[in-house]
Amino acid sequence: MSTLTHAAPGAGPRHAPNGKDLTFARILRSEWIKFTTLSSTYVLLACTVAVIVGIALISTWSFGWVLEQAAADPQMAGAVESDPDFATLGATLLSGGISFAQLIIGSLAVMMMSSEFATGTARATFTAAPRRLNVLGAKALIAAVTAFATTVVAMLAAYVAVQPLADRYGIEFDPAGEAFQRQLWIGAAFVVAIALIGLALGTLLRNSAGAIVTLAGLVFVLPMILMAFSADLIVTIRQYLPDAAYGNLIASESFPDAPEQWVSALVLAAWAIVPLVVSALVLRRRDV
């Protein structure tokens, strides 16, 4: 005699979760949680704001002291006022800290990926989300938005912080002026580009120290080395580095012998996109 068994309603086999079914939005949320639960994230972001605000205060105080000295020396006053950049110098005082803040944000972006390999969590991450490019894309989006927002907030905080010094020395800052707006938005875009370069280096090298040193060499050491040479080829190469493209973009017009500003914009975009694309290709093919 055979016995018929009936399955209980709803007791059929269930579809097991598949990492390939994860949407980009869910991966983005997961990466955001990882990013915001690390105390180092807040420390580095706070350092970025502090550097931009602090250097803006020092620069404003220094320029105010120069103006005080110039007031007692007509010849010096004439030299200061005849400087073609005198009218837009106020905005430059506020953005001076970007040169140092870029490395802090870039280092943070490096560790977003390199720490995954250093701690061994990369295996768990890519097991849960086998589509590695989605993970990299989520990290890139978080790095870009964080870099942009932090730079804008820091620049606006610097504007507020220097007002007492500016009033004391009679320095005028026009937040609605073209010079300040150019420094604000292009400066933020530049920091985004450096953050994406840092993320790409962290993905390629998988080592925080090595990637950060490489990034520092690109944004600080290499430009200084190339400035020591006067050969036409070296000068041309120097103009296509990220910092040179940024400097040309924030100027009211292109520097003499420099590329057109739209060319500098394309150069900066290429520095952000090309390393990220290369790192994506390597991440997709390389073992974890």
Side-chain angles (χ1 to χ4, degrees):
M1 175 181 287
S2 61
T3 304
L4 297 176
T5 58
H6 298 278
R14 296 183 179 180
H15 176 65
N18 187 347
K20 293 184 179 180
D21 295 335
L22 287 177
T23 63
F24 180 78
R26 292 181 65 182
I27 295 175
L28 180 63
R29 181 174 180 273
S30 175
E31 291 300 324
W32 176 252
I33 291 172
K34 285 195 289 185
F35 181 71
T36 55
T37 51
L38 294 174
S39 58
S40 59
T41 297
Y42 300 100
V43 171
L44 291 175
L45 293 180
C47 288
T48 301
V49 175
V51 165
I52 291 178
V53 173
I55 292 181
L57 287 169
I58 295 172
S59 300
T60 303
W61 174 80
S62 300
F63 184 59
W65 181 84
V66 170
L67 292 180
E68 278 192 337
Q69 300 302 310
D73 185 348
Q75 184 176 2
M76 184 178 178
V80 171
E81 294 178 359
S82 63
D83 189 329
D85 296 326
F86 179 76
T88 60
L89 189 57
T92 305
L93 297 176
L94 297 178
S95 64
I98 287 180
S99 298
F100 299 94
Q102 61 172 329
L103 186 58
I104 302 176
I105 291 291
S107 300
L108 177 61
V110 164
M111 292 187 291
M112 287 178 66
M113 184 60 86
S114 64
S115 62
E116 295 264 10
F117 296 100
T119 60
T121 56
R123 292 183 181 275
T125 297
F126 294 125
T127 298
R131 297 176 187 243
R132 299 182 182 183
L133 298 189
N134 283 350
V135 175
L136 180 62
K139 290 181 182 292
L141 181 58
I142 292 171
V145 171
T146 301
F148 190 87
T150 303
T151 305
V152 170
V153 168
M155 286 277 290
L156 295 177
Y159 168 76
V160 174
V162 302
Q163 285 307 303
L165 280 175
D167 293 340
R168 174 182 173 183
Y169 293 113
I171 303 173
E172 295 184 3
F173 294 101
D174 182 11
E178 179 185 354
F180 180 80
Q181 293 296 316
R182 183 181 291 270
Q183 297 277 346
L184 177 65
W185 303 116
I186 296 178
F190 171 66
V191 177
V192 168
I194 298 301
L196 295 180
I197 294 172
L199 180 64
L201 290 174
T203 305
L204 291 169
L205 301 182
R206 301 187 176 188
N207 180 276
S208 297
I212 291 172
V213 169
T214 302
L215 182 65
L218 175 64
V219 299
F220 285 128
V221 180
L222 183 59
M224 290 190 292
I225 292 175
L226 294 182
M227 286 179 65
F229 299 91
S230 58
D232 292 342
L233 178 60
I234 301 299
V235 172
T236 301
I237 293 174
R238 170 73 179 81
Q239 293 172 349
Y240 288 91
L241 292 179
D243 68 312
Y246 164 63
N248 194 33
L249 284 171
I250 60 175
S252 57
E253 58 185 21
S254 297
F255 294 132
D257 301 325
E260 295 290 335
Q261 290 186 324
W262 66 269
V263 175
S264 294
L266 291 178
V267 168
L268 192 58
W271 273 106
I273 296 172
V274 173
L276 199 61
V277 170
V278 173
S279 68
L281 296 175
V282 171
L283 179 65
R284 187 175 182 180
R285 298 174 180 231
R286 189 175 174 186
D287 291 337
V288 176

